[in-house]
Amino acid sequence: MGAGRMRLRSWLVVGISTALLLAIGAVGISVNRSALKAAETVHRADSLALATNNGGLAAQVLLVSAKDLNDFVTNHPLSMTPGDTGDTAALQEYAKKSSYFNYGLVMTDLTGNPLNATGPANMFPDTLSAAFKPLISALALGRPGFSSIMTVRETLVQAVAVPIVVGSAPTAILYGFIPLVRSQLQEYLVKLQDDSHVSMLVDAAGVVGAASDPALLGTRVDPAIRAQVGTTESVFVTYAEHGHAMIATVNGGLPGGWAYVRTQSTATFDGPVRNRSLTINLALLTMLLVGAAGLAILGYRSQLVRRRAEERFSALVEHAPDVVTVLDADGRVVYTSPSGRRILGVSAVGSSVFDLIHPEERQLVRDRFAALLHDKGGLERMQVRVRQAGGDHRWFDFTASNQLHNPALDGVVINARDITDSREMHDRLAHDAHHDPLTGLPNRRRLQQSLAASLQSAPVAVLFVDLDGFKPVNDELGHEAGDELLRQIGARLSGCLRPFDVLARVGGDEFVILLPGVGTAAETSAVTDRLKACADAPFDLAGHEVRIGASIGVHVAAPGEHPDAVLRNADEAMYAVKHRPDRAGRHRA
């Protein structure tokens, strides 16, 4: 009877131990699965956002190259006569200075017949090539054209084309050819080179036109990736390469049917988190199987495995480039990964996250955080500036996940990635799109925006300035001296104006000045005299004293006038001044 009771007690202990193990194991697996799911969700969302961001930057670079080509067409009248030496010289000079089209340029009529080029015909691809199809389609829709990749004399090139418009109708097409091995996109991707992944830009046929690994230029991507190149949303593509499972993030819809692609092995993409999660689950299952060995042994094993799991997770989080933070319902930091102290220079635990946000974004973060608290399991994405220990702010991409309902986390989990460098690059591209690269002054696009805004409510005096004697400087001292002269005259003219006046370089040696609020030509006389005095004073160009002059046309625009008409009237006024009889001899150096 006593033995039976002991046996029953033993089975009871084993049953209770097994039940406890099952309960503990179920809770452990559930917690691990929830954390893994949240981390994978954030990681995948970040990967798609990164692909979209990099694809957008690449598209911006392509569009800036087309704008550069269009500015040349706009600012350099061409005869479009076959074999015209003036056209040839203009094209060759532009190709020499261009940051994009130093391979060469070709001008054709609307049917593709060559009119002029910077070199012999055999150094350029045939415009009837299939690679020109996306370019021609874009031109037909009134947009700049971008070709697929072509090989000419063992050189990989891409063509960019814009129409040459005379009057209101296109009469010819100008093609600029970019050597891909020296393109700005190739240089940018090489700078982002990382052993864990490969970043590429591919054309509509899946041929690599830029890559962080230069050896991939001209090769074809996997057919699975090629099938998604045309998509306009960022997507994941899985495939096999040399027996290894691979995953690619594809962002298509770039000009010319191009796409941004980032590839890496599935193992490096999923990272150690999933492997460690699998290890923890296997350990828990093993503990369930050995539960009959006794509660003491089971407890020891459970503590040992749990401690190792925490050490593994701590090591992963400590060396991760992103910052993982957990907030309570009031927005107070209850946990932050070691990378947070490394990046910000201070531990934020115990602080309110709103105190760390830049004042301009603080209210937005409060509103989005309040909305997230009412969305169980919801996600919020935003880009904000966060204060460092020294008082400076850095840009971060935040992904916040509401895990207050999750007992393992009990908070709002934030994954933050430092994007300061990519933001600065984006701002630089935006600045370059609206400013003259030589003088740093606003360009024609920025000028037209400022003029349109001013004409909505007030009169504007518009001064069109053309330099007298600039061409002899270029001819005798060289184009470098001419560029230096343009920079010096730009600085001088700026010093003659009010802080809110606008000085823009619109092409060649022509500048336009906006005087907001000036409503009569008489009010501009003092400004005109100062500008002429600035232009008449001698310039020092590498030891050469140079004297030029300036012809200034004035047009006072009333509110509501069309900006194009205003600029045209100012231009005509300048030409009237330049060709007055008393202006003879002003073209000097």
Side-chain angles (χ1 to χ4, degrees), residues 415-458:
N415 185 280
R417 173 173 293 173
D418 190 337
I419 59 169
T420 304
D421 293 340
S422 62
R423 287 281 304 209
E424 290 176 352
M425 176 171 289
H426 182 273
D427 293 342
R428 285 198 300 271
L429 290 174
H431 177 274
D432 293 345
H434 293 86
H435 290 77
D436 173 43
L438 177 63
T439 63
L441 297 173
N443 58 15
R444 182 180 290 272
R445 176 186 294 180
R446 184 65 177 270
L447 170 72
Q448 289 178 324
Q449 293 174 350
S450 300
L451 180 58
S454 298
L455 288 174
Q456 291 180 358
S457 58

Side-chain angles (χ1 to χ4, degrees), residues 214-389:
L216 296 177
L217 285 175
T219 63
R220 288 185 179 271
V221 296
D222 189 271
I225 298 177
R226 197 182 315 154
Q228 297 296 328
V229 166
T231 182
T232 57
E233 298 288 339
S234 293
V235 296
F236 290 112
V237 177
T238 57
Y239 62 102
E241 183 176 273
H242 305 304
H244 297 286
M246 304 290 291
I247 186 168
T249 313
V250 181
N251 176 252
L254 275 63
W258 284 55
Y260 169 81
V261 179
R262 171 175 163 151
T263 66
Q264 61 190 118
S265 68
T266 303
T268 59
F269 179 81
D270 290 334
V273 174
R274 177 174 289 187
N275 296 333
R276 296 300 180 265
S277 174
L278 179 60
T279 301
I280 294 172
N281 287 338
L282 291 175
L284 290 172
L285 291 173
T286 302
M287 286 189 293
L288 290 176
L289 294 176
V290 300
L295 187 58
I297 298 176
L298 179 61
Y300 172 76
R301 290 280 296 172
S302 177
Q303 292 298 324
L304 180 61
V305 172
R306 186 163 299 177
R307 184 170 64 252
R308 288 179 177 174
E310 290 174 353
E311 291 173 354
R312 292 189 187 107
F313 180 77
S314 176
L316 288 172
V317 173
E318 181 177 358
H319 296 92
D322 294 351
V323 180
V324 179
T325 303
V326 181
L327 310 178
D328 62 17
D330 296 325
R332 195 164 298 277
V333 179
V334 296
Y335 168 80
T336 186
S337 61
S339 55
R341 184 179 185 89
R342 185 173 65 252
I343 295 175
L344 299 180
V346 64
S347 176
V349 175
S351 305
S352 172
V353 71
F354 306 117
D355 294 338
L356 303 175
I357 303 299
H358 193 281
E360 294 181 5
E361 288 101 33
R362 190 170 296 161
Q363 189 58 46
L364 170 65
V365 175
R366 287 184 181 275
D367 295 341
R368 300 281 288 273
F369 184 81
L372 182 61
L373 293 180
H374 295 88
D375 185 7
K376 181 178 178 180
L379 287 174
E380 285 283 353
R381 293 291 306 268
M382 65 193 84
Q383 293 185 355
V384 297
R385 286 169 286 182
V386 179
R387 188 180 72 250
Q388 293 181 290

Side-chain angles (χ1 to χ4, degrees), residues 71 78 161 171 256 301 321-322 339 362 372 412 414 464 469 534 555:
D71 287 346
L78 301 169
T171 59
R301 290 280 296 172
D322 294 351
S339 55
R362 190 170 296 161
L372 182 61
V412 175
I414 294 180
F464 204 108
C534 288
H555 175 72

Side-chain angles (χ1 to χ4, degrees), residues 165-179:
V165 179
V166 177
S168 60
T171 59
I173 300 173
L174 181 61
Y175 297 86
F177 294 90
I178 303 174

